[in-house]
Amino acid sequence: MEDLKLKAITAEMNILSRSDGSVIISQGDSSCIVDVNGPIEVNSAANIDMNKAYVDVLYRPKCGIPGVNERYKEKTIKGLCESIILTTLYPKTQINFQIQEMDDSSGIFACAINGCNIGLLNSGLEMKFNMAAVHCVLDETDEIIIDPDCIEEETLAFTRVQKPKRISGKYKADFTFVFESLKDSLISVHTNGSFSLQKYNEALKLSRQACRKIFDFYADLVKKCSVVYIKNSILEYI
Amino acid sequence: MKETILSNNERVFVEKSIEEVLRIDKRQLTEFRNLGIFFGKKYGSVLVSLGDTRVFANVSCEVNIPKTTRPNEGTVFINVEMSNEKMSESCIVTTRILERTIRDSRCIDLESLCIIAEEKVWNLRVDVSILNNEGNVTDCACIAAVSALAHFKRPDCTTSGDGEFIIHKSSEKDLIPTVLHHYPICMTYALFKGKIPIADPTLLEERVTNAGLTLGINSYKEICSLHMTGVSLTSPFLIQKCSEMAAERAKHVVEFIKSTLEQDSIDREKSNVKGFKQSIILTNVTSNFCDEQSIDNNAEEISEVASNHDEIIVVSQEQKFKKIDENTISTTKWKDENEETSSSDSEIITLSQSNQEKSKVESMQIDSSDDEEKETIILN
């Protein structure tokens, strides 16, 4: 088996001045901007929940208007965010997520999920735990590749044709695993294509190892800026 | 997102300081904020920042039927979306200004977008997404749309005589850049007291002012569009003065766009495209970078509990009972019954399910014993 590598991750928090939490994240060549606002007033009376906050997710594709694929991503991310935020702390409010897809060369879904987590860390909303998503594919020779770059045909990138979600030619299947930070257990999985159960378990095992690296990345990111915050607060105290 | 209330104090403060030729962000009256243009990995996507205002624009193309009035010209469609709000008034205003500045000024060579006259033409779509509004969204959106159009390349087409055509992949034939005759740029001025124009207003200044002026102007000092908002007593000389200032600024902006495009094409030749990563300033405390990391395939440090929980295990019927036998529960009677009913050789169960089975078995065992009291205790 060839050496497995997780793509380089770059992220910057607080890039949008008007949002509570915002981040630009790029994993390899996939990048997106996530914008978190909350807790804010619920925009429609039907969504008011007396016991917990209402989570709203808007996923903007790179071009054209949102379609079924985007709705699917929105729904999955909404479910994930509802489970990681302590929503019961913010009753009768709304938490808004906006994801702007910027570059998609495979794994944009995992990138968006990781972006949401960093956005939440930046927004200061109370969370139960962190989440990290890892994307991997199964190629035609039954080898698992973690975090591949560009699995789409190049010509499709220019036009607005709704990308066929079926896996073509070179790859058999793709997986997106989402893990939580407490026990590294699986909280969401999205698969596409056909694969054997053994390969699924193998991919899961590898992804679990990869997710640790992403959690370390979160920790470094928070550590880097919290040092400055603590310094400032000590100076104020003196 | 709900707009915050503008207090009278803020209003008076801004108005007074501008009368004294001072601005809240230490700028000169005719000074613009810093402009940043970052191109994406793929052709036609760009992230533009003007101060703290951020706009993302993307151009895509599609083959379409031309308009009957102009059968040999392609079409351009501009779509503006604001964050936080759906189809607001300012969104429609921005769309109209961009349409007038870019489409109606005919800066794009639409005839070159024709594939077969009266049948097939390219339709360009410009999606502008306003991510952060810190004032002067129009200028930022216009720069984003123009630079995205200038950066965009469409696939090549060859036509055979009988109305058929082939769209080539980028590996087969080089991509064709969009032809732009000129680069129209929007310049916004906020008017105070009807006579003091300030360039590139921030959100606070935009809200305090009672009139605004947006000029679409290109580097040849040609005015492409003019848009005025609010009510104010002004003189025609003021508009002339503004247009002269705008023309000067437009030249600089166009030069900046062209130099960024050049830098991008040099990077592409060297296949050293950074994409949107370059917009991230790594020296900031809020940013972090982590290089490619290899994953150790053989590491076994993960907690066993979690891994056992999630994995899906295929257990054949025989293996299943073996497992149960290992747990030293003898249920021969039940096993026989089950074998009669089950037809499939194997089924997918998770480990937690198998645990459930086990508990079932235990309860079965208890059933066989006659002592009723014991049964209730264990079941509870």
Side-chain angles (χ1 to χ4, degrees):
Chain A
M1 196 175 274
E2 57 187 306
D3 54 334
L4 297 154
K5 267 184 179 170
L6 200 63
K7 283 189 282 191
I9 315 173
T10 324
E12 185 177 352
M13 297 195 287
N14 249 343
I15 51 146
L16 309 177
S17 62
R18 293 270 152 191
S19 338
D20 293 328
S22 56
V23 66
I24 176 166
I25 179 167
S26 92
Q27 283 188 276
D29 292 332
S30 303
S31 54
C32 65
I33 284 185
V34 181
D35 166 15
V36 184
N37 277 299
I40 54 170
E41 203 178 312
V42 187
N43 56 10
S44 82
N47 294 332
I48 294 180
D49 195 329
M50 290 300 177
N51 298 319
K52 58 183 193 329
Y54 171 74
V55 178
D56 190 43
V57 181
L58 186 71
Y59 188 96
R60 283 226 187 94
K62 200 176 162 193
C63 49
I65 46 169
V68 179
N69 293 335
E70 282 71 33
R71 288 276 176 276
Y72 176 80
K73 284 175 187 166
E74 278 175 15
K75 203 170 169 249
T76 317
I77 293 172
K78 188 186 166 186
L80 281 169
C81 289
E82 272 172 350
S83 63
I84 70 161
I85 306 169
L86 278 166
T87 46
T88 42
L89 276 183
Y90 314 101
K92 294 204 280 178
T93 56
Q94 180 170 339
I95 297 163
N96 267 353
F97 284 83
Q98 278 190 45
I99 302 147
Q100 172 71 55
E101 178 185 310
M102 289 164 83
D103 255 338
D104 180 10
S105 62
S106 90
I108 185 71
F109 189 37
C111 185
I113 292 168
N114 294 338
C116 282
N117 193 73
I118 302 176
L120 274 170
L121 287 173
N122 187 221
S123 72
L125 288 163
E126 303 277 342
M127 290 158 77
K128 289 177 202 158
F129 43 78
N130 288 308
M131 61 175 176
V134 181
H135 175 246
C136 53
V137 297
L138 192 67
D139 73 358
E140 56 198 348
T141 55
D142 257 5
E143 291 254 327
I144 294 162
I145 304 167
I146 295 260
D147 235 5
D149 243 337
C150 208
I151 50 169
E152 274 156 47
E153 274 193 53
E154 218 182 321
T155 42
L156 281 175
F158 294 97
T159 49
R160 255 182 338 275
V161 183
Q162 274 274 333
K163 292 162 211 158
K165 275 292 148 182
R166 251 168 271 117
I167 293 289
S168 57
K170 209 172 156 195
Y171 294 105
K172 271 179 163 177
D174 80 337
F175 313 91
T176 306
F177 297 104
V178 188
F179 300 96
E180 52 94 26
S181 58
L182 298 175
K183 281 181 179 169
D184 288 357
S185 56
L186 191 67
I187 51 173
S188 174
V189 60
H190 169 225
T191 61
N192 196 355
S194 61
F195 50 86
S196 69
L197 218 49
Q198 188 207 345
K199 284 288 157 192
Y200 169 87
N201 286 335
E202 213 172 288
L204 177 65
K205 197 179 155 197
L206 284 171
S207 303
R208 182 174 280 116
Q209 258 140 37
C211 87
R212 276 280 81 171
K213 312 265 179 195
I214 298 172
F215 287 131
D216 289 346
F217 176 78
Y218 294 161
D220 285 346
L221 185 67
V222 174
K223 212 187 281 169
K224 205 173 161 189
C225 54
S226 60
V227 167
V228 179
Y229 292 145
I230 292 164
K231 257 185 201 165
N232 286 348
S233 59
I234 290 169
L235 283 176
E236 269 172 34
Y237 188 72
I238 294 164
Chain B
M1 200 176 181
K2 238 182 184 178
E3 242 177 54
T4 46
I5 301 158
L6 180 70
S7 69
N8 281 340
N9 286 348
E10 277 178 290
R11 185 188 298 275
V12 172
F13 180 76
V14 172
E15 278 180 346
K16 268 199 170 167
S17 52
I18 283 178
E19 271 179 65
E20 291 170 25
V21 202
L22 291 167
R23 286 175 82 171
I24 38 172
D25 52 1
K26 300 176 193 169
R27 269 188 290 160
Q28 301 289 313
L29 290 189
T30 52
E31 198 181 328
F32 284 77
R33 286 173 290 178
N34 283 339
L35 181 67
I37 300 174
F38 307 102
F39 291 109
K41 189 92 179 171
K42 283 171 186 151
Y43 287 113
S45 58
V46 65
L47 180 71
V48 174
S49 64
L50 185 67
D52 278 335
T53 303
R54 268 166 205 258
V55 171
F56 173 76
N58 185 64
V59 179
S60 50
C61 62
E62 199 179 53
V63 177
N64 226 332
I65 303 161
K67 285 178 189 166
T68 43
T69 46
R70 295 192 180 275
N72 58 344
E73 285 185 5
T75 50
V76 179
F77 177 75
I78 297 168
N79 176 43
V80 179
E81 270 181 61
M82 293 250 176
S83 78
N84 303 319
E85 55 209 296
K86 281 163 196 162
M87 270 330 248
S88 62
E89 195 194 309
S90 58
C91 187
I92 296 162
V93 170
T94 315
T95 314
R96 271 307 294 157
I97 294 173
L98 289 192
E99 276 181 355
R100 281 189 300 171
T101 316
I102 296 166
R103 194 177 63 187
D104 300 351
S105 74
R106 305 192 65 79
C107 71
I108 306 162
D109 184 13
L110 292 176
E111 281 184 26
S112 69
L113 297 176
C114 180
I115 302 168
I116 304 167
E118 289 179 33
E119 279 178 32
K120 294 285 179 225
V121 291
W122 283 111
N123 167 23
L124 297 184
R125 183 191 167 108
V126 189
D127 283 287
V128 179
S129 167
I130 290 149
L131 301 165
N132 195 40
N133 182 0
E134 201 59 70
N136 205 1
V137 161
T138 322
D139 286 19
C140 199
C142 184
I143 294 167
V146 169
S147 40
L149 277 167
H151 188 242
F152 181 68
K153 286 184 180 178
R154 63 172 197 277
D156 199 359
C157 270
T158 43
T159 48
S160 54
D162 51 348
E164 282 182 6
F165 63 94
I166 307 156
I167 300 172
H168 294 282
K169 286 181 185 173
S170 59
S171 49
E172 290 168 8
K173 262 189 173 182
D174 280 348
L175 300 163
I176 310 169
T178 328
V179 181
L180 288 179
H181 297 306
H182 58 96
Y183 292 69
I185 305 292
C186 279
M187 295 291 146
T188 302
Y189 291 90
L191 302 179
F192 279 84
K193 305 266 171 191
K195 56 182 183 238
I196 312 167
I198 60 158
D200 190 16
T202 61
L203 192 62
L204 181 63
E205 286 164 342
E206 256 178 12
R207 291 176 73 187
V208 171
T209 181
N210 40 17
L213 177 68
T214 302
L215 291 141
I217 207 158
N218 64 18
S219 53
Y220 308 111
K221 292 190 180 183
E222 291 166 337
I223 295 175
C224 307
S225 71
L226 183 66
H227 179 81
M228 291 184 79
T229 53
V231 185
S232 176
L233 284 168
T234 51
S235 62
F237 301 108
L238 185 88
I239 297 171
Q240 205 173 2
K241 193 182 146 198
C242 282
S243 62
E244 273 167 21
M245 286 194 294
E248 204 55 42
R249 163 77 179 166
K251 227 182 214 174
H252 289 295
V253 175
V254 172
E255 266 170 32
F256 184 65
I257 294 173
K258 281 182 179 166
S259 67
T260 326
L261 277 167
E262 214 165 284
Q263 186 58 45
D264 183 72
S265 64
I266 292 167
D267 284 346
R268 265 168 216 278
E269 269 173 30
K270 290 177 189 164
S271 61
N272 175 31
V273 195
K274 293 189 198 88
F276 290 113
K277 257 178 272 176
Q278 58 186 325
S279 73
I280 299 170
I281 307 154
L282 284 168
T283 48
N284 280 0
V285 280
T286 49
S287 61
N288 196 8
F289 169 74
C290 125
D291 210 0
E292 279 188 1
Q293 290 186 66
S294 54
I295 300 146
D296 192 1
N297 189 23
N298 301 316
E300 294 282 348
E301 53 188 278
I302 38 159
S303 61
E304 280 293 313
V305 188
S307 65
N308 283 343
H309 211 76
D310 303 327
E311 240 170 76
I312 296 177
I313 304 160
V314 181
V315 187
S316 72
Q317 203 78 335
E318 278 171 33
Q319 278 176 328
K320 197 167 89 189
F321 287 113
K322 234 179 226 171
K323 256 188 186 165
I324 295 165
D325 285 339
E326 277 166 21
N327 290 316
T328 62
I329 302 161
S330 54
T331 53
T332 40
K333 199 180 165 188
W334 179 75
K335 191 177 160 188
D336 290 337
E337 275 173 11
N338 205 43
E339 264 177 3
E340 279 169 23
T341 49
S342 66
S343 53
S344 61
D345 286 336
S346 67
E347 61 179 274
I348 303 163
I349 54 154
T350 60
L351 204 75
S352 59
Q353 264 179 323
S354 75
N355 282 336
Q356 274 175 19
E357 300 268 15
K358 221 163 51 184
S359 65
K360 242 189 218 169
V361 174
E362 266 169 331
S363 66
M364 290 280 291
Q365 197 188 22
I366 296 150
D367 274 345
S368 60
S369 68
D370 295 322
D371 198 351
E372 273 183 41
E373 270 186 350
K374 229 181 195 175
E375 184 192 331
T376 47
I377 292 161
I378 299 166
L379 277 176
N380 282 338

